[in-house]
């Protein structure tokens, strides 16, 4: 039974906050995009960029990684590099980033137990580190719209496998708004709304309209 005397207006411990998570970008590279067929690739690029800007707004630690950048897959997509121009990109040979020592050390250095992961392809370079991290007691949140697989079936089955393994599927806007959580947080209000207007599609246009009609402090 619920003890109503213990009910308070407080966020649950499972919610993402700027202080409890890190964001991992895995293999958002040209060759990986060429093989992506699970959804619109431009939409995936937009979602990944929106997620990166969300992390930057809230100063969330970020790990950037590529696989075989010089020999096969090409550099990390320029939109991510533009958000984090001074961030080291960890290049690997292993498809499973969690088998790469520098990658794992970078994750450990964040000191965060909640890992928000996005990447290409979902069925390989996302599912493998996600399940590996879960096996080592991390909490994993998979940003499904900032990830893509070689086919809709490959992407969906990978998401299902991760969910069955304990991962939590989310979208990039969900992450952004979960980090903000209260429009009264004025220090991040404007940066968050700018990210929404740039990358939020119809939601972003709605915010542009609301601010034009009701003023710049119209809630998102």
């Amino acid at each position: 039974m619920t003890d109503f005397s213990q009910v308070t207006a407080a966020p649950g411990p499972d919610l993402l906050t700027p202080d409890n998570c890190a964001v991992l970008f895995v293999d958002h590279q040209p060759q990986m995009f060429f093989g992506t067929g699970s959804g619109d690739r431009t939409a995936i690029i937009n979602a990944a960029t929106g997620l990166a800007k969300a992390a930057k707004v809230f100063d969330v630690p970020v790990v950037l990684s590529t696989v075989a950048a010089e020999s096969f897959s090409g550099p990390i997509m320029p939109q991510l590099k533009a958000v984090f121009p001074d961030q080291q990109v960890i290049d690997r040979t292993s498809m499973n980033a969690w088998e790469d020592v520098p990658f794992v050390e970078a994750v450990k250095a964040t000191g965060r137990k909640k890992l928000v992961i996005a990447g290409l392809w979902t069925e390989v370079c996302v599912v493998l580190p996600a399940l590996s991290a879960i096996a080592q007691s991390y909490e994993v949140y998979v940003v499904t719209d900032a990830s893509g697989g070689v086919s809709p079936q490959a992407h969906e089955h990978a998401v299902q496998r991760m969910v069955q393994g304990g991962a939590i599927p989310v979208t990039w806007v969900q992450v952004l708004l979960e980090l903000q959580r209260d429009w009264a947080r004025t220090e991040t209000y404007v940066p968050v709304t700018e990210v929404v207007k740039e990358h939020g599609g119809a939601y972003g246009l709605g915010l542009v309209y609301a601010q034009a009609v009701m003023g710049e402090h119209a809630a998102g």
Side-chain angles (χ1 to χ4, degrees):
M1 294 180 62
T2 301
D3 182 355
F4 291 104
S5 67
Q6 300 300 311
V7 175
T8 61
D14 290 336
L15 297 184
L16 296 170
T17 73
D19 300 320
N20 70 11
C21 68
V23 181
L24 317 181
F25 292 92
V26 183
D27 305 348
H28 289 90
Q29 300 165 260
Q31 184 63 38
M32 306 304 292
F33 272 107
F34 295 158
T36 298
S38 60
D40 181 68
R41 287 171 288 190
T42 301
I44 297 172
I45 292 170
N46 178 72
T49 306
L51 178 64
K53 291 182 178 180
K56 187 168 185 178
V57 166
F58 291 97
D59 199 25
V60 173
V62 168
V63 177
L64 305 177
S65 187
T66 55
V67 63
E70 295 186 3
S71 61
F72 179 72
S73 300
I76 195 167
M77 71 182 209
Q79 292 89 338
L80 290 182
K81 192 62 178 174
V83 178
F84 305 106
D86 301 320
Q87 179 92 14
Q88 177 189 6
V89 180
I90 300 168
D91 194 45
R92 319 177 318 276
T93 60
S94 61
M95 287 181 279
N96 181 8
W98 210 263
E99 296 179 44
D100 184 81
V101 172
F103 179 88
V104 174
E105 289 301 315
V107 174
K108 289 167 59 179
T110 68
R112 308 296 174 84
K113 292 288 287 183
K114 295 180 184 289
L115 304 181
V116 179
I117 301 180
L120 306 175
W121 298 316
T122 320
E123 66 271 27
V124 182
C125 300
V126 178
V127 71
L128 299 182
L131 294 180
S132 299
I134 289 170
Q136 296 189 27
S137 300
Y138 281 89
E139 298 174 40
V140 172
Y141 299 74
V142 180
V143 190
T144 58
D145 58 349
S147 304
V150 298
S151 68
Q153 186 179 48
H155 176 76
E156 180 59 31
H157 286 185
V159 172
Q160 289 179 7
R161 183 181 178 188
M162 287 184 282
V163 169
Q164 290 171 358
I168 302 166
V170 294
T171 65
W172 82 266
V173 170
Q174 182 179 349
V175 173
L176 173 71
L177 299 184
E178 194 162 324
L179 294 174
Q180 175 68 19
R181 223 171 55 239
D182 188 338
W183 292 118
R185 290 183 173 148
T186 56
E187 67 274 13
T188 51
Y189 176 88
V190 171
V192 165
T193 56
E194 287 303 310
V195 173
V196 170
K197 287 188 283 187
E198 290 174 8
H199 300 282
Y203 172 31
L205 286 177
L207 186 54
V208 170
Y209 173 80
Q211 291 182 340
V213 173
M214 294 180 284
E216 63 178 7
H217 297 296

